[in-house]
Amino acid sequence: MSGMHEDSVALVTGAGSGIGRAAAEIFAREGARVVVADRNAEAGNETVEIIRKAGGDAAFSLTDVSDEASVAAMVKFAVDTYGALDSAMNNAGISDAQDSFHEMGLDVWERMVGINLTGVFLCMKHEIVQMLSQEAQDGRRGAIVNTASGAGIVPAPGQPHYTAAKHGVLGLTKVAAAEYYTRGIRANAICPGITDTPMLREAIRRNPESEEPLLATVPGNTPGRPEDVAGSAVWLCSEGARWVNGQSLIVDGGGVMR
Ligand SMILES: NC(=O)c1ccc[n+]([C@@H]2O[C@H](COP(=O)([O-])OP(=O)(O)OC[C@H]3O[C@@H](n4cnc5c(N)ncnc54)[C@H](O)[C@@H]3O)[C@@H](O)[C@H]2O)c1
């Protein structure tokens, strides 16, 4: 049986952990050769090992998505290693301790926005340049999916910077979707709900009192599994989603409905 992404090349940022790792594994299972990008080399190489052990093809790119030269090198690495870039999942992100809006330092704001919003912009920019340079196959040159959040739709308490960055990711997604669809590139976003990843565990460790209200945002008070979120992202990059463009897919078991 052939997979959704046979004979194609996928790139996933933040693929050393959580949702990104799960997406890299699913892309590989569906037939893609996968570039695993992360700023954590040990974690990224571990993802590559997991994929190779399962019979897939993957390579690691040490990348900081908030640094344009690093992002440009990541896209070049994908093309040098595997010859093209068909799917790109811009997923790397950070969370932060809760802070009140009026006490937030500019440095805290800038660090968050630099990774969670500017990072997505930089990745999209360089991915689009590459995709536009590729010959269209049946009118299509590539697909992008960005990881936003439920906080891209509704506010996350104590997280003005995270909320603003994730709302911004949906804006970037829509602009690219509108500008590039007729040139063969689709762009969509996923908005995960509370998902059981190292990021979530760290947030709860930092602030144990946040666990109950966080879990209350998902039906059954149960966090999603990384693979449950990642599967939707991988599908959005596939042929089956060829007429899905500029959408923000909420993947949270129905916690937020808009
Ligand atoms: N876990 C959740 O509940 C949840 C909910 C909504 C949205 N999200 C979003 O999903 C995405 C993935 O989150 P996760 O929960 O899997 O987190 P995670 O912390 O488990 O994984 C994030 C990965 O991104 C990498 N990373 C961080 N900054 C980077 C940078 N500057 N350059 C390159 N890599 C970088 C980290 O090293 C890590 O491997 C994030 O964008 C996050 O905001 C997560």
Side-chain angles (χ1 to χ4, degrees):
M1 208 176 77
S2 70
M4 273 191 285
H5 288 280
E6 224 54 66
D7 294 325
S8 76
V9 180
L11 162 70
V12 183
T13 70
S17 177
I19 295 166
R21 172 175 285 177
E25 288 186 62
I26 299 171
F27 267 120
R29 213 183 303 142
E30 293 295 333
R33 289 160 282 159
V34 183
V35 173
V36 169
D38 206 289
R39 68 176 176 187
N40 181 332
E42 197 183 329
N45 280 309
E46 209 175 277
T47 302
V48 167
E49 274 315 297
I50 292 169
I51 290 172
R52 288 185 182 157
K53 274 198 186 122
D57 192 347
F60 175 65
S61 167
L62 182 63
T63 305
D64 177 352
V65 297
S66 64
D67 178 305
E68 183 158 18
S70 180
V71 169
M74 169 187 80
V75 172
K76 184 176 183 310
F77 175 81
V79 177
D80 288 350
T81 308
Y82 291 132
L85 181 61
D86 302 299
S87 305
M89 180 176 179
N90 301 313
N91 165 83
I94 56 167
S95 68
D96 222 339
Q98 298 208 338
D99 207 349
S100 62
F101 198 126
H102 65 281
E103 286 166 337
M104 179 164 284
L106 183 59
D107 55 332
V108 174
W109 165 272
E110 283 180 338
R111 177 169 167 268
M112 173 66 73
V113 170
I115 295 174
N116 285 16
L117 181 58
T118 307
V120 174
F121 163 70
L122 292 173
C123 288
M124 291 180 79
K125 173 181 164 183
H126 288 272
E127 291 155 3
I128 289 169
V129 168
Q130 171 56 31
M131 287 173 178
L132 286 174
S133 78
Q134 298 175 171
E135 204 177 314
Q137 310 278 334
D138 192 16
R140 292 183 299 287
R141 292 191 162 86
I144 293 173
V145 62
N146 296 321
T147 306
S149 168
I153 312 271
V154 295
Q159 301 281 338
H161 51 351
Y162 187 86
T163 301
K166 293 301 188 180
H167 276 66
V169 168
L170 299 187
L172 288 176
T173 304
K174 289 172 194 170
V175 173
E179 286 192 17
Y180 296 102
Y181 181 73
T182 54
R183 283 181 267 174
I185 301 171
R186 292 183 300 111
N188 290 288
I190 54 162
C191 299
I194 297 305
T195 309
D196 187 13
T197 68
M199 177 188 281
L200 177 68
R201 279 176 239 137
E202 171 59 18
I204 291 171
R205 191 199 59 73
R206 253 187 334 240
N207 181 12
E209 281 162 24
S210 67
E211 182 168 11
E212 207 183 313
L214 280 175
L215 292 183
T217 65
V218 281
N221 298 331
T222 309
R225 298 174 304 175
E227 57 271 32
D228 294 337
V229 172
S232 302
V234 173
W235 173 75
L236 279 169
C237 291
S238 76
E239 265 300 294
R242 57 181 289 163
W243 214 35
V244 183
N245 190 37
Q247 302 304 309
S248 311
L249 182 62
I250 305 174
V251 188
D252 70 350
V256 174
M257 296 193 194
R258 289 286 187 280

